[in-house]
Amino acid sequence: MEAVKIRIEGMSCSHCEASVREVLETLPGVEQVIEVSAEAQQAQVKGRPDPALVAQRLEEIGFAGMVTDD
């Protein structure tokens, strides 16, 4: 299964990373959360989550997120 990068704006600390990880782990299509980095402002997951659902769930907890191809 391929890895997907998610650009996330607004994370500033380990609590933000934990909140994002918790949301990503519950999304359909995500097999594993590989990394969440406030410093890099991104996450990487294994699987194929719905990009619109990723953005919606991250927005619900206060972050702007977008699945990227890079």
Side-chain angles (χ1 to χ4, degrees):
M1 185 64 63
E2 67 184 273
V4 175
K5 285 186 181 177
I6 304 167
R7 189 167 306 159
I8 304 169
E9 296 178 10
M11 292 192 296
S12 60
C13 65
S14 62
H15 295 288
C16 297
E17 293 173 341
S19 296
V20 167
R21 177 178 291 275
E22 186 175 313
V23 164
L24 294 176
E25 288 175 340
T26 65
L27 290 176
V30 173
E31 289 186 14
Q32 178 185 10
V33 177
I34 299 169
E35 173 188 43
V36 178
S37 171
E39 183 178 337
Q41 295 288 293
Q42 72 176 22
Q44 188 170 11
V45 302
K46 187 180 287 187
R48 288 307 274 169
D50 177 351
L53 185 57
V54 169
Q56 177 187 344
R57 294 298 310 276
L58 290 174
E59 185 177 334
E60 289 172 359
I61 62 168
F63 303 104
M66 179 176 67
V67 174
T68 66
D69 291 333
D70 58 346

